[in-house]
Amino acid sequence: MDKKLTMDKLVNLCKNRGFVFQGSEIYGGFANTWDFGPVGVELKNNIKRAWWKKFVQEDVNTYGVDAAILMNPKVWEASGHAQSFSDPQMDCKSCKYRFRADNLIEEHSKGETSAEKMTTKEMEDYIVEHKIKCPHCGNFSWTPIRQFRLMFETSRGTVEGEKDVVYLRPETCQGEYVNFLNVQRTMRAKVPFAIAQIGKSFRNEITPGNFLFRTVEFEQMELQMFCHEKDSMDFYNTYKERAIKFVESLGLKEDNLRFHDHDKLAHYAKAACDIQYNFPIGWQELNGIHHRGTWDLSRHSDFSGKTMDYLDPFTNERFTPNVIEYSIGADRLMLAIMCEAYEEEVLDNGETRVVMHFLPAIAPYKVAILPLQKNLSDKAKEVYAKLSKKFMCDYDEAGSIGKRYRRQDEIGTPFCVTIDFDTLEDDTVTIRDRDSMKQIRLKIDDLSDYIQKAIEF
Ligand code: GAP
């Protein structure tokens, strides 16, 4: 990651280059909501596709689902969210802004102190001892800690007074647990097998912020591996390895990644860890891997009255499977990928270019078609029509070629194809590599294979 990168710089680049806009911007915005623009939606979709490819498509034992966001409210009683999904909240008495006590501690210590094992009193004492000031107004005037409920409520029903409360799901994994039997039966799946899904989750976070890092509406990519207890620690370790390899394969550098094993575990959990990334705001959680024992299936079995046991056809043993969960936020991963990709490169001529070194497989556009002059646009559009059948292509004929290259560098397009007057003669083009800026001449007919080879994942 470029040392000069700040979150403000990234937010500006995202806004100016069509990655991410402030939500409801023309109305003055709507705090901590973000809209993905034409470039950002491509990047995020490519990240989600890469995850699905590695964890579902290439794994014969993993099945995908897409469950409803609104679930029977009993689901949230069984999961424990209805009773205890809350965060320790503190209000600044001066400016009335609200914060999470554990985040204040972790952000103050740049991720070096974890608040997860602290009691309410210990967190309050830490904040007093370190005189942690309000990040908004700079004063030191806190209320005591109170618990703040994180699930968004809405209601269902048309008759006033007879509406039922329903919740926007705060995590996607419950849709995987409740479909355990459906998937097992319809796919004739044998334990061990996994269920994966990608979808929106919603949390009424006390302290959303830091751009895409913590928002109230976000996408999760979650996978639950159902297995026998005797195999569960092996699967836990396997998913730790697979999870870190996956983010490394998308370009996150080893030096900016670390495991953080949880000291404090839920009573049912056998192990839990995060992978943390060194964001410009310090080391923060990127994803989680959790050994959840039989808790989830047992609870859903108790609350629904349907047994979630599995009968092993080989051993005749009947048991409730253990669950190993792997969960990662698509938006948070996109933020990490953008931080890692960003570079302000000083060129030989003394100029600086901003370049996003995305792995070609996830770059928003794979190739930009640039006619050297406007009167070459017919030929350029022919090339665009050919390549856009296979790849996401950009087309730009406005401004100097140098400025057009810079724009493509800033959105991380791995290849720029320039159409010039020789193209009309011999059907060859210049193809420029984003990272090295080297240019070679290729036949139009060879472009597709050349690009395809570079974007394999
Ligand atoms: N089902 C387990 C679960 O939801 P979590 O640690 O609360 O676990 C998993 O969330 C991942 O989802 C996190 O590691 C993070 O990547 C992402 N995530 C959680 N809350 C988020 C938020 N408010 N904004 C963006 N991403 C979030």
Side-chain angles (χ1 to χ4, degrees):
M1 196 199 316
D2 194 314
K3 292 271 182 308
K4 292 175 233 133
L5 179 65
T6 61
M7 212 57 113
D8 283 347
K9 269 191 199 175
L10 192 62
V11 172
N12 272 330
L13 176 84
C14 284
K15 183 182 157 112
N16 294 327
R17 288 293 178 230
F19 283 96
V20 183
F21 309 121
Q22 193 185 8
S24 318
E25 192 180 320
I26 59 166
Y27 288 96
F30 191 55
N32 299 297
T33 63
W34 300 98
D35 294 343
F36 291 81
V39 180
V41 71
E42 295 300 328
L43 179 60
K44 191 154 109 165
N45 281 343
N46 291 342
I47 292 169
K48 290 189 286 182
R49 268 188 221 114
W51 188 86
W52 197 261
K53 179 166 188 286
K54 283 295 159 208
F55 289 96
V56 183
Q57 182 182 325
E58 292 180 8
D59 191 330
V60 68
N61 292 318
T62 300
Y63 304 93
V65 294
D66 184 10
I69 288 176
L70 299 178
M71 302 183 79
N72 188 314
K74 276 195 187 157
V75 167
W76 307 110
E77 286 174 37
S79 69
H81 286 80
Q83 303 84 331
S84 62
F85 191 48
S86 57
D87 273 336
Q89 160 203 323
M90 284 179 111
D91 292 353
C92 170
K93 287 195 247 172
S94 298
C95 68
K96 312 286 181 238
Y97 266 60
R98 186 161 278 181
F99 296 92
R100 258 174 74 173
D102 53 342
N103 289 158
L104 282 175
I105 293 169
E106 282 160 15
E107 276 160 27
H108 173 80
S109 68
K110 296 230 174 307
E112 294 305 322
T113 302
S114 162
E116 72 182 347
K117 261 179 102 178
M118 292 184 185
T119 61
T120 300
K121 170 92 175 59
E122 282 165 348
M123 283 193 271
E124 284 174 349
D125 288 350
Y126 185 100
I127 286 165
V128 170
E129 193 187 318
H130 292 81
K131 262 211 156 298
I132 301 179
K133 294 187 180 142
C134 169
H136 180 248
C137 71
N139 286 326
F140 179 78
S141 173
W142 297 111
T143 61
I145 292 175
R146 281 173 298 160
Q147 291 300 319
F148 182 89
R149 186 144 181 205
L150 294 176
M151 279 207 293
F152 279 111
E153 278 182 21
T154 183
S155 54
R156 183 179 169 145
T158 46
V159 182
E160 212 40 64
E162 286 178 24
K163 288 181 178 165
D164 292 327
V165 170
V166 289
Y167 300 101
L168 296 186
R169 68 180 176 200
E171 57 178 11
T172 58
C173 60
Q174 299 302 327
E176 298 165 331
Y177 302 138
V178 301
N179 280 298
F180 168 71
L181 294 175
N182 283 336
V183 173
Q184 194 270 317
R185 180 176 50 82
T186 53
M187 306 312 287
R188 295 173 297 141
K190 309 265 182 307
V191 168
F193 72 90
I195 304 182
Q197 81 166 323
I198 299 177
K200 286 252 177 176
S201 293
F202 304 82
R203 294 185 192 175
N204 195 6
E205 297 277 5
I206 302 170
T207 50
N210 287 318
F211 193 28
L212 302 179
F213 182 79
R214 189 174 290 111
T215 52
V216 291
E217 174 184 341
F218 52 97
E219 274 184 283
Q220 288 186 307
M221 309 190 282
E222 296 202 290
L223 176 149
Q224 316 299 316
M225 165 52 83
F226 301 95
C227 58
H228 194 286
E229 190 190 358
K230 69 177 165 40
D231 303 321
S232 58
M233 273 322 280
D234 284 348
F235 277 116
Y236 175 72
N237 290 320
T238 305
Y239 275 99
K240 273 176 81 167
E241 276 315 302
R242 287 183 70 179
I244 202 152
K245 275 207 185 110
F246 172 68
V247 291
E248 282 175 358
S249 74
L250 295 189
L252 301 192
K253 297 218 173 63
E254 210 183 327
D255 289 353
N256 287 326
L257 292 165
R258 68 183 187 193
F259 284 112
H260 164 71
D261 291 316
H262 290 202
D263 303 323
K264 188 174 155 193
L265 296 176
H267 64 90
Y268 52 80
K270 298 216 177 96
C273 83
D274 302 334
I275 292 174
Q276 295 185 332
Y277 179 71
N278 190 12
F279 287 94
I281 48 169
W283 287 96
Q284 297 287 343
E285 174 183 332
L286 180 63
N287 70 212
I289 300 115
H290 314 122
H291 186 318
R292 302 182 56 87
T294 56
W295 166 260
D296 305 284
L297 291 187
S298 306
R299 292 281 291 186
H300 284 303
S301 187
D302 291 349
F303 280 73
S304 68
K306 302 261 181 327
T307 175
M308 296 284 202
D309 284 355
Y310 172 75
L311 178 63
D312 190 310
F314 304 111
T315 63
N316 259 338
E317 185 188 0
R318 187 177 285 282
F319 60 92
T320 308
N322 276 231
V323 166
I324 306 301
E325 174 180 62
Y326 159 44
S327 173
I328 180 160
D331 315 75
R332 197 175 286 187
L333 178 56
M334 173 168 156
L335 177 64
I337 285 171
M338 286 194 293
C339 292
E340 190 77 57
Y342 182 95
E343 189 192 4
E344 287 175 29
E345 187 186 351
V346 182
L347 303 173
D348 292 343
N349 63 6
E351 281 179 18
T352 302
R353 70 164 182 156
V354 170
V355 53
M356 297 295 265
H357 295 284
F358 296 127
L359 182 79
I362 56 164
Y365 295 101
K366 305 303 179 225
V367 56
I369 318 297
L370 315 173
L372 207 54
Q373 291 184 13
K374 279 207 173 129
N375 54 4
L376 292 162
S377 63
D378 285 351
K379 187 71 184 172
K381 280 179 183 158
E382 252 177 53
V383 177
Y384 177 88
K386 198 168 174 172
L387 292 182
S388 61
K389 289 202 175 5
K390 290 206 167 165
F391 315 108
M392 196 67 205
C393 302
D394 198 4
Y395 179 87
D396 188 2
E397 56 180 29
S400 75
I401 192 72
K403 284 209 174 111
R404 282 184 273 165
Y405 281 153
R406 291 289 166 272
R407 182 176 173 276
Q408 295 302 329
D409 291 342
E410 288 184 18
I411 62 174
T413 308
F415 300 111
C416 286
V417 164
T418 313
I419 315 296
D420 54 29
F421 289 102
D422 287 344
T423 313
L424 303 180
E425 304 296 316
D426 60 7
D427 258 6
T428 64
V429 293
T430 299
I431 183 160
R432 169 192 182 264
D433 180 272
R434 173 196 67 201
D435 298 337
S436 67
M437 294 189 287
K438 292 218 168 81
Q439 305 189 4
I440 56 167
R441 202 85 197 161
L442 275 186
K443 280 250 172 236
I444 291 173
D445 281 348
D446 295 337
L447 277 174
S448 183
D449 285 351
Y450 184 87
I451 297 163
Q452 185 60 46
K453 222 165 137 198
I455 65 167
E456 287 303 315
F457 178 68

